[in-house]
């Protein structure tokens, strides 16, 4: 006979919870520039979110779990002739990951910045050489007890990843 009790709590319906934000996006190809710079471009977005809710009873409002207050992504591009290039940066701010019994035992992810690169060269209309590099900044995903980075409880290392190859298109 199993007499264990499991308690589950969700924050889907807490009273007074709200998340408000704004997304900004820009895509621009600088075709007005003189050659060879007319292949330059940029693709950028940023999201700003303010979320609150009574996450821990009796402690007033706090940020909602897994809601990043600030994120951004930027990709600088070059596309002209047989060359395609993209250098991408992304950032996520500190985030309440899981809720503890009080604010001091909450678990947070710390801010993270990553950079990736993609390069392709069309040798023929059917054959493309490519190179991809991920996590060039060798960023770690870090979880902390409390919002302070002084109390790490877990670090995930992903290292840099590089891929070279050929694509053949029929």
């Amino acid at each position: 006979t199993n007499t264990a009790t499991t308690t589950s709590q969700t924050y889907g319906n807490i009273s007074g919870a709200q998340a408000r934000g704004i997304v900004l996006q820009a895509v621009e190809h600088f075709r007005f520039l003189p050659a060879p710079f007319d292949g330059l471009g940029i693709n950028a977005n940023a999201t700003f979110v303010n979320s609150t809710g009574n996450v821990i009873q009796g402690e007033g409002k706090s940020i909602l779990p897994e809601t990043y207050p600030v994120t951004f992504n930027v990709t600088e591009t070059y596309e002209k002739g047989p060359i395609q290039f993209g250098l991408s940066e992304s950032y996520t701010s500190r985030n309440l990951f899981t809720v503890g019994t009080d604010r001091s035992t909450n678990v947070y992810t710390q801010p993270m910045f990553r950079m990736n690169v993609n390069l392709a060269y069309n040798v023929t209309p059917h054959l493309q050489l490519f190179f991809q590099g991920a996590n060039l900044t060798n960023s770690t995903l870090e979880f902390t007890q409390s919002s302070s980075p002084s109390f790490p409880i877990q670090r995930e290392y992903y290292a840099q990843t590089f891929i070279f190859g050929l694509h053949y298109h029929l």
Side-chain angles (χ1 to χ4, degrees):
T1 303
N2 185 352
T3 59
T5 302
T6 301
T7 302
S8 176
Q9 185 175 9
T10 179
Y11 301 98
N13 295 316
I14 60 175
S15 64
Q18 67 178 11
R20 295 184 178 156
I22 186 169
V23 176
L24 305 172
Q25 182 169 340
V27 177
E28 182 64 45
H29 300 282
F30 302 109
R31 302 197 198 294
F32 59 87
L33 293 173
F37 304 107
D38 55 346
L40 291 172
I42 191 164
N43 186 343
N45 65 66
T47 303
F48 303 93
V49 177
N50 180 2
S51 69
T52 58
N54 294 320
V55 177
I56 299 173
Q57 292 297 342
E59 292 210 11
K61 292 194 174 201
S62 68
I63 189 170
L64 294 176
E66 297 194 47
T67 306
Y68 291 98
V70 177
T71 60
F72 77 76
N73 302 285
V74 178
T75 301
E76 300 84 17
T77 62
Y78 184 83
E79 295 182 15
K80 186 167 183 178
I83 298 172
Q84 293 124 39
F85 173 79
L87 180 64
S88 302
E89 302 85 24
S90 65
Y91 170 81
T92 54
S93 61
R94 184 178 59 227
N95 166 31
L96 175 59
F97 186 68
T98 57
V99 177
T101 55
D102 60 47
R103 289 183 198 271
S104 68
T105 59
N106 288 346
V107 175
Y108 287 81
T109 59
Q110 290 299 310
M112 188 164 76
F113 177 80
R114 291 183 65 144
M115 184 179 285
N116 301 323
V117 66
N118 290 293
L119 177 62
Y121 182 81
N122 295 323
V123 179
T124 71
H126 300 287
L127 182 64
Q128 180 185 69
L129 296 170
F130 72 90
F131 167 76
Q132 297 174 337
N135 195 20
L136 300 179
T137 52
N138 205 16
S139 300
T140 60
L141 176 58
E142 184 173 10
F143 296 89
T144 58
Q145 183 175 333
S146 84
S147 61
S148 171
S150 300
F151 302 103
I153 57 174
Q154 179 178 335
R155 283 192 182 108
E156 296 180 9
Y157 296 90
Y158 297 103
Q160 299 165 326
T161 304
F162 301 101
I163 301 172
F164 299 91
L166 295 170
H167 286 145
Y168 182 76
H169 308 280
L170 296 176

